[in-house]
Amino acid sequence: MLSLIALCALPTVSFAQPTAAPSAPGLSGKWSGYWVSDKNGHTGPLHATFTPLGDDAYRVKYRGRFAKVIPFRYTTTMDVVGTGDGVVVLSAEKPLGPFGTFRTTATATNTNFDATFTSRRDSGRFVLNRR
């Protein structure tokens, strides 16, 4: 009888599978959209290729056009600074010599990338969609 009471006093063990937390989206691959300046209204096409650097950063290669004809390329490492329900938050900072430090903060899902940027003389947005 004493051993039956001891068995009843043991904690209940559950064999239910734990529910997985929603994972952050993977951003690998090619994206396209546009950039726009808040300072002067300039805008142009923008393309980006995202390559993962482990679980907490991406190498992002941007290419686009300024003033409709002047091409530019820009590569940076964007650090993952937060994740949530299907969303990842990224941040980057890169010194560009006489142009000051270029800072970017972005929110991304599986299909959309929306970033703000600031530099010494400009600020604006990058808006991209997965291709």
Side-chain angles (χ1 to χ4, degrees):
M1 174 97 162
L2 194 52
S3 47
L4 181 59
I5 294 172
L7 281 175
C8 292
L10 289 175
T12 305
V13 177
S14 172
F15 293 101
Q17 294 294 321
T19 305
S23 63
L27 305 180
S28 297
K30 296 182 180 199
W31 297 69
S32 62
Y34 66 93
W35 65 271
V36 61
S37 168
D38 293 337
K39 298 278 184 173
N40 56 32
H42 287 169
T43 189
L46 183 67
H47 303 279
T49 302
F50 287 72
T51 304
L53 300 174
D55 291 336
D56 58 354
Y58 287 89
R59 164 108 350 126
V60 184
K61 295 179 181 180
Y62 295 102
R63 64 183 171 79
R65 292 207 178 274
F66 176 79
K68 296 185 183 181
V69 294
I70 303 169
F72 68 84
R73 292 183 186 273
Y74 173 72
T75 300
T76 191
T77 298
M78 296 200 77
D79 297 314
V80 174
V81 296
T83 59
D85 191 18
V87 175
V88 62
V89 179
L90 304 123
S91 180
E93 187 172 297
K94 187 170 185 177
L96 296 177
F99 299 105
T101 300
F102 193 81
R103 292 178 177 86
T104 311
T105 303
T107 303
T109 66
N110 278 323
T111 57
N112 300 307
F113 176 88
D114 191 9
T116 58
F117 69 85
T118 60
S119 65
R120 177 180 287 164
R121 294 192 176 139
D122 201 4
S123 64
R125 291 180 51 211
F126 294 162
V127 178
L128 301 169
N129 296 299
R130 190 181 296 273
R131 289 202 275 180

